[in-house]
Amino acid sequence: MIYSHSHFDHIAGGQPFKNLGAIFVAHKNAKARIEALKRPDVVVPDEVVDSERTMTLGDTTLELIYVGKNHSDSTLVMRLPKEKIIFTVDWIPLETVPFRAMADTYLPDIEDGLQKVIAMDWERLIPGHPGPDSRQIGTKADARAALAYLQDLSAAVGKAADEHKCLADAMRDIKLPKYEKWANYDAYLPMNIERYCDFYSLGI
Ligand SMILES: [Zn+2]
């Protein structure tokens, strides 16, 4: 059992697998977080990954790669080198604006992580949440678009911060029409702006 990252909506409920003898693996920061929060329905990992680990089951090879802080400080990129598939959760959404105010997201580290993932050898992405029209599988074009969205958002909010428009004016006035067809654009863009205003105005 491999945890994608420490957030409970992706890791709660593992006890039946533990009872059957599964070994739980996660990034070392996920284990530290899970141990600190002591949630009763989250199994504490047995083994941890630091920067990289390769596992083999039968003739399937799976790489667990840590590319730094992004949507959490414990996100793993799981790569199947033969199949050219990656599974990495929550931070490379398919034509979807990031969730609410991007809680636990590290700026600007997430952009560096996206560059690293785009440079890897893969063809299909399993993102953990479907995109518009229930699309389940992404491509490198989706990863490049996710990075471009953050870069465009960052540039727009940075300019607004320089002009002392953070927070209320920026949340109201900044629009990114290139992405207006993306899921959750109207609902989450102002909250994403708030996240970047905190980054530019407060350095957090
Ligand atoms: Zn998450």
Side-chain angles (χ1 to χ4, degrees):
M1 174 69 72
I2 301 161
Y3 287 165
S4 59
H5 61 307
S6 66
H7 297 165
F8 299 147
D9 56 322
H10 290 276
I11 64 172
Q15 191 61 45
F17 299 99
K18 181 79 178 171
N19 295 346
L20 290 169
I23 297 165
F24 283 61
V25 180
H27 186 262
K28 64 176 184 178
N29 294 343
K31 180 168 184 174
R33 183 87 175 146
I34 291 160
E35 284 180 329
L37 296 182
K38 294 185 173 54
R39 182 155 151 161
D41 57 351
V42 176
V43 174
V44 175
D46 302 299
E47 299 178 8
V48 296
V49 181
D50 186 350
S51 59
E52 187 157 358
R53 176 172 169 181
T54 301
M55 296 180 156
T56 305
L57 278 173
D59 60 358
T60 299
T61 300
L62 176 68
E63 298 169 352
L64 309 179
I65 306 161
Y66 184 66
V67 296
K69 298 173 178 177
N70 39 59
H71 162 82
S72 72
D73 70 353
S74 61
T75 308
L76 292 173
V77 177
M78 304 184 206
R79 192 177 82 100
L80 291 148
K82 191 172 66 180
E83 295 82 359
K84 295 188 188 289
I85 293 171
I86 60 167
F87 173 49
T88 191
V89 170
D90 277 352
W91 67 295
I92 312 183
L94 310 180
E95 294 175 298
T96 299
V97 169
F99 186 60
R100 297 204 302 229
M102 303 172 71
D104 204 19
T105 295
Y106 291 82
L107 304 180
D109 316 56
I110 188 170
E111 294 180 21
D112 298 335
L114 280 161
Q115 302 274 19
K116 288 178 190 167
V117 171
I118 290 165
M120 291 177 189
D121 184 20
W122 57 274
E123 291 170 357
R124 286 176 288 171
L125 158 71
I126 303 169
H129 293 276
D133 303 319
S134 301
R135 184 159 67 95
Q136 303 274 359
I137 304 292
T139 66
K140 237 170 224 195
D142 290 297
R144 290 194 187 98
L147 174 59
Y149 169 80
L150 294 180
Q151 290 170 332
D152 289 347
L153 176 65
S154 181
V157 178
K159 180 168 176 288
D162 288 346
E163 295 165 356
H164 306 289
K165 290 179 178 167
C166 277
L167 176 67
D169 290 351
M171 287 179 69
R172 187 190 61 230
D173 294 339
I174 290 175
K175 306 292 175 201
L176 298 173
K178 200 169 139 189
Y179 307 97
E180 66 187 4
K181 298 259 178 348
W182 282 19
N184 300 327
Y185 174 85
D186 290 328
Y188 295 160
L189 177 63
M191 301 162 91
N192 284 193
I193 292 165
E194 180 175 10
R195 177 71 192 87
Y196 270 84
C197 269
D198 284 348
F199 172 63
Y200 280 110
S201 302
L202 309 173
I204 58 176

